[in-house]
Amino acid sequence: MNINFETSTRIEQGYLLKPLIGEDLKEFPAFYDRFSAALYMATMAYDNSDSYQITSEPRKSAYLRAALAEFTGIVDVLSDSMPHIPKHLYSVYKSNDALYHMFNLLRNYNIHIAKSSLDQKSIRVRYLFDMENEHDHTVDFISNLSVIELKRLKCAKDYSGNLLEQLVDYFEHQQHEFGIQALIQKGIIDYSEHILRLLRESSPN
């Protein structure tokens, strides 16, 4: 396990408008669709429930669970459709980025163990069109994230206790910057750009 916390993803801004997957990925429609679906699910997790059948918190959790499942499934699509690309170049498990390891752990936790609970906090932000003033903004964060909970996963055995603590500390800091949705959105977009470069480099001229 070779995770580099110094170079792992750092979120420096949130998203005022709904972000989109880069148009260039349309060269590879199957991957564009999968990344767009993952990003759509993460974006839908912002909205409060408008249905009597489900309240806002479990609705948001469900969309985040779907976003993580869609994201981690992209590795399987790559493995099946692009067998000539060495798996270590795109495997989430072999990534140096702590964020993708946490995405995988959270996906497995939410699918196999229990759901991530969400809570809210208020942060102060500046908008690009109004940098002189600060505004209150409410964000969601996973409130039941802990090493103890992650250790319930079979795949957590691949990580030492110290490494799990580092991963949780890293993720806690990042999700509290602009909220869990923005962090997942950034991870999906960044990974889509990495996969686009990989697909172009491996495609015949």
Side-chain angles (χ1 to χ4, degrees):
M1 201 70 65
N2 187 28
I3 301 173
N4 189 331
F5 288 93
E6 293 297 320
T7 60
S8 290
T9 299
R10 296 286 188 275
I11 186 163
E12 298 177 348
Q13 63 183 31
Y15 300 98
L16 183 60
L17 301 176
K18 293 180 179 180
L20 300 172
I21 297 300
E23 292 283 314
D24 288 348
L25 193 56
K26 287 184 176 180
E27 294 175 34
F28 306 94
F31 294 100
Y32 178 82
D33 289 346
R34 291 299 294 263
F35 276 109
S36 293
L39 189 59
Y40 173 81
M41 295 298 178
T43 301
M44 288 297 292
Y46 280 106
D47 297 333
N48 290 319
S49 178
D50 57 0
S51 171
Y52 70 91
Q53 294 178 314
I54 188 170
T55 57
S56 292
E57 194 274 342
R59 180 184 186 276
K60 290 179 180 181
S61 291
Y63 274 115
L64 290 178
R65 183 164 59 249
L68 291 169
E70 196 70 32
F71 174 85
T72 55
I74 292 169
V75 171
D76 295 327
V77 176
L78 271 164
S79 180
D80 181 67
S81 61
M82 301 287 178
H84 59 285
I85 301 178
K87 194 167 184 177
H88 73 272
L89 296 178
Y90 60 82
S91 170
V92 170
Y93 179 75
K94 295 181 181 297
S95 174
N96 294 328
D97 196 317
L99 183 63
Y100 300 136
H101 286 268
M102 283 301 299
F103 278 6
N104 192 51
L105 287 166
L106 286 171
R107 178 267 178 196
N108 290 337
Y109 179 82
N110 276 270
I111 296 296
H112 300 298
I113 304 294
K115 79 176 183 70
S116 292
S117 299
L118 298 180
D119 206 342
Q120 293 187 320
K121 62 180 282 188
S122 181
I123 62 173
R124 301 285 287 172
V125 299
R126 285 189 173 94
Y127 299 122
L128 291 177
F129 59 80
D130 184 21
M131 291 298 290
E132 295 183 359
N133 299 299
E134 289 190 341
H135 304 266
D136 289 319
H137 184 68
T138 300
V139 298
D140 298 298
F141 64 93
I142 296 175
S143 58
N144 63 332
L145 178 61
S146 71
V147 173
I148 291 175
E149 282 299 298
L150 293 182
K151 280 185 174 180
R152 296 171 64 189
L153 291 166
K154 290 182 180 178
C155 63
K157 294 178 181 178
D158 296 330
Y159 301 84
S160 68
N162 181 60
L163 185 53
L164 281 175
E165 288 181 8
Q166 289 180 283
L167 284 167
V168 169
D169 287 345
Y170 158 82
F171 195 84
E172 281 279 36
H173 178 76
Q174 295 304 314
Q175 74 161 341
H176 281 278
E177 288 293 300
F178 296 99
I180 182 61
Q181 293 93 336
L183 182 57
I184 292 178
Q185 287 172 318
K186 177 171 175 54
I188 291 169
I189 292 170
D190 286 357
Y191 190 63
S192 75
E193 293 170 354
H194 168 68
I195 294 304
L196 174 60
R197 290 192 295 269
L198 200 58
L199 291 171
R200 282 177 166 174
E201 290 168 2
S202 64
S203 296
N205 295 326

